[in-house]
């Protein structure tokens, strides 16, 4: 089934309200897509347009209140949210501000917004100041409640991430159809997105990658028009989306027979991933999993992060880094993403997706073997 | 060529600094993707990951300063920005805050952030408060400078939007290949994204649409698995992206011979678009263009907006609505997007993209004719 049963949303709200009571919070105000969707089930690509703010209020007691542009009313009515208040947007003279103020006055304060790492405010600073002033309520951080709840996935959520991973798995298996010596990397990017769509992705929110002899220079640049050459390692890393949930993992391919350096690096990455998998269990800290992988790849502090949380967003929550002491718990979905230097300014990375279970970890992506696939 | 010449960025900065001097602003601080990219040329899909903030400072004099995660250093060095300061992110203990504070102290205040309609803050509220406090500087709005500059496109920008429109035009021409009676709308959505990629889109950031007898219920819902039926009108509306610039227009198709209602509505939409095109000239206000179209479609205040600005984002800047008195000027790129009701809770919409020129408007999308294309 698409979406979730109402019980799933009621469970999320109930947990939030329990934590809100402990923290002395009167209402949580959400403005960003993943936070809004997590509690409402409201799924649309329309957030791509920045013109209209969307507000969801979680009161200390009772059901959520959606304060949204009228263009979203019909779709919102198909969710479990009943209390839907709309205004004709865009209206720069009053972009939902008076409606939001009224709703917040009903729930009462303190009004808490996600304010910690990764959070952002999807409304203008001017309107935020107006809402604070006109409501007369106290505003504060949400004590990390939203992020903490989102970090632990339900079985229904895990199923969705698994389905997303399967889409990418089928697509990676077809890369030999689209990539070979002489094909420009930009063309491979286009064609790989096409494969993802054919294999069941609803959209491809993220695609990164690189290609070069024995590795690539960086993993965030747009694809160039340089054709793949014999001796290159090609890497594709995707965030395909199915039913609103991401996968995020990659695959490396050797264009022609791989060099000893590339083959060795890949085997080492697979070994590091296995070590990370072994270390990923309830009670272990994010930095412990980092250390297990870094012990094999040799990276230290400068290695950056070797994995992260995953779910409604491409990356969310914890970082597998020496600086993150988050304790892993059942239901957390994370990526394992070791990297190795293969030359000056050149690296190879590998990534898989897993979920933390009582006894250890479970694979969500179909783990790659140590041998590079040759195209 | 990809991207822009350095002179383009110098021109944008120079205009900003002229307006900053008038407004008494010491530095503009940018945190969101389009604003960051407009002044730096930094193009990556990596913004999809919310884990790391990115900061660009426009000082009152001199060149921009980028304060960014080290993972972006290599790509940033390929832009015209020279002053690049990095920190190893994510680091929740200091997510670039101290580095940003130091850079802002050098430029001096008041520090201005985009704070008006459509703006948002892509950093945590907690860190924003820390930066305000630790810098000891005054913070304020940017007097609309960023939005005002972005609203007027250069010829190089217009060329990019035109290229994006051409991608969609070639793809719309191929819709009969993928859509027919019996094909599920969700499958049409997947296949149309594939066509856009094949025709030159780098990615498909947005796709909406709908299908139903004589029209559709709303235009922001995800595609359903309901198969297209004879008598349906199918609408596809895309934001395909090429070189970082969007197109945003749609096409309607009749599944089998159209009814008189659908054919009449489509002809009326094309007539309204032509009236909007005629009304779009320097000196006219956004609300005047709205009125020209609404006079034909019969919509009033409740019609919402009948078009908007377009460029680095799917929608940006002005709204063609009764509430928006923005004066059109040469170089503005906008959409014309009339809609008509075809039944209770049922509508048809049409959209084209144009640029305002000295003598009137110029088409960027290949305008559709009054006859519905039958598939």
């Amino acid at each position: 089934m698409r979406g979730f049963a109402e019980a799933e949303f009621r469970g999320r709200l109930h947990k939030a309200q329990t934590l809100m009571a402990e923290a002395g919070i009167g209402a949580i105000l959400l403005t960003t897509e993943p936070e809004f969707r997590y509690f409402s089930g409201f799924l649309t690509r329309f957030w791509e347009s920045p013109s209209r703010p969307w507000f969801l209020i979680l009161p200390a007691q009772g059901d959520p209140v959606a304060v949204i542009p009228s263009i979203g009313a019909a779709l919102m009515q198909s969710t479990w949210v009943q209390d839907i208040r709309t205004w004709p947007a865009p209206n720069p003279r009053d972009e939902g501000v008076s409606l939001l103020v009224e709703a917040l006055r009903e729930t009462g304060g303190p009004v808490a917004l996600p304010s910690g790492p990764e959070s952002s405010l999807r409304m203008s600073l001017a309107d935020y100041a107006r809402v604070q002033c006109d409501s007369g309520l106290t505003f504060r951080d949400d004590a990390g409640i939203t992020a903490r709840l989102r970090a632990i996935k339900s079985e229904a959520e895990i199923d969705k991430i698994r389905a997303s991973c399967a889409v990418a798995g089928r697509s990676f298996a077809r890369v030999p159809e689209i990539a070979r010596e002489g094909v420009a990397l930009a063309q491979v990017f286009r064609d790989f997105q096409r494969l993802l769509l054919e294999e069941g992705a609803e959209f491809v929110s993220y695609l990164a990658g690189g290609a070069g002899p024995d590795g690539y220079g960086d993993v965030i640049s747009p694809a160039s028009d340089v054709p793949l050459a014999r001796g290159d390692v090609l890497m594709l890393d995707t965030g395909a989306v199915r039913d609103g949930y991401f996968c995020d993992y990659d695959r490396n391919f050797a264009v022609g027979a791989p060099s000893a350096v590339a083959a060795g690096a890949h085997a080492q990455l697979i070994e590091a991933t296995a070590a990370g998998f072994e270390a990923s269990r309830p009670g272990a800290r994010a930095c412990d999993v980092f250390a297990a992988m870094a012990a094999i790849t040799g990276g230290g502090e400068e290695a950056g992060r070797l994995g992260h949380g995953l779910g409604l967003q491409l990356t969310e929550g914890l970082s597998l880094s020496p600086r993150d002491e988050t304790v892993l718990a059942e239901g957390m979905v994370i990526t394992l993403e070791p990297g190795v230097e293969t030359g000056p300014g050149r690296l190879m990375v590998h990534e898989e997706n897993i979920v933390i279970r009582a006894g250890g970890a479970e694979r969500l992506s179909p783990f790659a073997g140590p041998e590079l696939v040759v195209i």
Side-chain angles (χ1 to χ4, degrees), chain A:
Chain A
M1 86 174 248
R2 316 318 306 268
F4 298 101
E6 182 173 328
E8 172 98 10
F9 295 110
R10 291 221 166 269
R12 295 176 187 180
L13 177 66
H14 177 73
K15 283 180 195 160
Q17 288 173 332
T18 304
L19 295 169
M20 286 163 70
E22 286 171 18
I25 289 170
I28 287 182
L29 172 60
L30 304 173
T31 64
T32 73
E33 191 275 338
E35 292 157 346
F36 194 105
R37 173 157 57 97
Y38 183 73
F39 287 105
S40 68
F42 187 75
L43 177 61
T44 170
R45 293 182 79 169
F46 200 62
W47 295 84
E48 186 67 32
S49 167
S51 300
R52 302 169 182 87
W54 302 74
F55 307 110
L56 191 72
I57 301 168
L58 310 181
Q61 273 136 20
D63 288 349
V65 181
V67 181
I68 62 172
S70 48
I71 196 170
L75 180 58
M76 199 76 215
Q77 276 154 18
S78 71
T79 73
W80 78 290
V81 176
Q82 302 284 316
D83 192 341
I84 303 168
R85 310 176 187 192
T86 67
W87 81 97
N91 179 7
R93 284 171 215 158
D94 182 2
E95 205 64 276
V97 168
S98 58
L99 212 55
L100 178 61
V101 164
E102 190 186 313
L104 288 173
R105 277 204 187 130
E106 290 171 25
T107 57
V111 178
L113 286 90
S115 306
E118 294 192 345
S119 67
S120 63
L121 180 72
R122 195 183 177 282
M123 69 183 295
S124 75
L125 285 168
D127 280 353
Y128 181 54
R130 259 175 229 131
V131 170
Q132 288 181 288
C133 175
D134 294 358
S135 68
L137 299 167
T138 309
F139 283 69
R140 51 161 288 182
D141 67 275
D142 79 341
I145 291 172
T146 312
R148 260 192 291 163
L149 291 182
R150 283 181 52 198
I152 308 289
K153 269 69 179 178
S154 70
E155 285 308 312
E157 290 186 285
I158 293 165
D159 285 346
K160 288 189 195 299
I161 299 170
R162 189 185 288 110
S164 215
C165 286
V167 166
R170 293 192 294 271
S171 306
F172 281 128
R174 292 179 60 191
V175 167
E177 291 176 23
I178 60 163
R180 69 191 68 83
E181 194 182 344
V183 179
L185 184 60
Q187 187 61 46
V188 174
F189 270 42
R190 286 202 174 87
D191 286 342
F192 187 64
Q193 294 179 88
R194 171 173 62 77
L195 293 184
L196 288 162
L197 292 161
E198 286 177 8
E199 294 297 342
E202 270 136 17
F203 42 98
V204 183
S205 280
Y206 186 71
L207 176 63
D214 293 346
Y216 16 86
D218 91 280
V219 295
I220 71 165
S221 295
S224 73
D225 285 324
V226 176
L228 295 178
R230 190 161 288 267
D232 278 357
V233 174
L234 163 69
M235 187 275 289
L236 294 168
D237 182 10
T238 191
V241 178
R242 192 178 161 83
D243 215 6
Y245 280 78
F246 277 86
C247 65
D248 179 19
Y249 66 101
D250 73 9
R251 287 294 180 263
N252 288 276
F253 302 88
V255 183
S259 71
V261 169
H266 191 259
Q268 197 183 28
L269 289 171
I270 300 302
E271 193 190 339
T273 306
F277 184 78
E278 205 51 46
S280 295
R281 50 186 63 252
R285 297 168 305 168
C287 54
D288 299 333
V289 180
F290 171 90
M293 289 191 281
I296 287 161
T297 56
E301 174 79 28
E302 78 292 350
R305 66 175 180 177
L306 305 185
H308 52 76
L310 168 71
L312 289 87
Q313 288 170 293
L314 177 71
T315 76
E316 57 181 45
L318 64 80
S319 295
L320 302 183
S321 89
R323 294 179 293 273
D324 193 327
E325 299 184 358
T326 305
V327 176
L328 297 187
E330 279 185 67
M332 285 186 174
V333 172
I334 64 172
T335 76
L336 302 170
E337 190 175 13
V340 285
E341 267 200 27
T342 50
R346 197 154 284 279
L347 81 164
M348 284 175 61
V349 294
H350 179 72
E351 189 169 23
E352 304 282 3
N353 300 158
I354 64 172
V355 56
I356 309 300
R357 297 298 196 182
E362 178 194 332
R363 300 172 178 191
L364 292 177
S365 57
F367 276 38
E371 309 279 322
L372 272 167
V373 172
V374 178
I375 54 177

